[in-house]
Amino acid sequence: MRSLQNMANKIKHLGIVENINGTHLKVRIVQNSACSACSVKGHCSASDTKEKIIDVYNVHAVPCKIGEHVMIVGTTSMGMKAVCLAFVLPFVVLFLVLVLSLHLTGGDESVSALFALTSLIPYYLLVYCFRNKISKNFMFTLETININ
């Protein structure tokens, strides 16, 4: 039962090894939008795919070489942390600054909206400055796969 629960808590993504530098790998993945599997995606501008290069640390010394297909594995908790950092916390900052500035400006909505929007600049600058520390919470592991 525990192994089934662990499988449900993992996010897996197929990728190709682009570069190897010791235990640090760069893996290319194709990120698909939610509707990219739709049968009418060719007639719709909402579906798209993007290639991304992901930094992966091969801490388990999984044997691999450049050009080989590998499976990048993360946890759903990493996804939740990413959503929180990228969307939830900025929304909370925006909302709190908006409410506070509405109170301080006597209800001037345009000035309050400007304050609220500009409050996101320091938030994202802090995230950028601490990106190395934050990235330690987002460690992907590596699994080899056999593709014929």
Side-chain angles (χ1 to χ4, degrees), residues 4-146:
L4 287 176
Q5 202 171 29
N6 286 341
M7 289 293 289
N9 291 330
K10 292 191 178 194
I11 300 169
K12 293 186 175 191
H13 218 301
L14 181 64
I16 299 173
V17 177
E18 291 287 314
N19 189 6
I20 300 174
N21 186 8
T23 60
H24 180 247
L25 286 82
K26 295 212 179 265
V27 178
R28 181 173 36 95
I29 63 169
V30 176
Q31 183 181 20
N32 296 321
S33 67
C35 55
S36 65
C38 179
S39 62
V40 293
K41 71 179 178 182
H43 305 289
C44 178
S45 62
S47 65
D48 66 343
T49 59
K50 298 176 188 172
E51 285 191 354
K52 302 248 181 181
I53 302 293
I54 305 293
D55 289 323
V56 179
Y57 293 95
N58 192 358
V59 292
H60 301 296
V62 175
C64 59
K65 56 187 176 213
I66 294 175
E68 185 175 19
H69 286 85
V70 292
M71 189 67 70
I72 298 174
V73 181
T75 61
T76 55
S77 66
M78 283 179 11
M80 292 301 189
K81 286 179 190 176
V83 167
C84 189
L85 276 172
F87 300 109
V88 176
L89 287 177
F91 176 76
V92 170
V93 168
L94 185 95
F95 184 75
L96 290 176
V97 170
L98 180 64
V99 170
L100 181 65
S101 62
L102 278 171
H103 177 72
L104 293 175
T105 62
D108 189 345
E109 292 176 358
S110 59
V111 171
S112 297
L114 187 61
F115 281 144
L117 288 174
T118 56
S119 71
L120 294 179
I121 294 170
Y123 173 80
Y124 283 113
L125 281 174
L126 281 171
V127 170
Y128 180 77
C129 289
F130 290 106
R131 69 187 180 278
N132 293 331
K133 188 173 182 172
I134 292 170
S135 70
K136 292 177 184 175
N137 293 317
F138 298 97
M139 295 286 289
F140 291 96
T141 57
L142 201 61
E143 292 180 3
T144 57
I145 57 170
N146 293 325

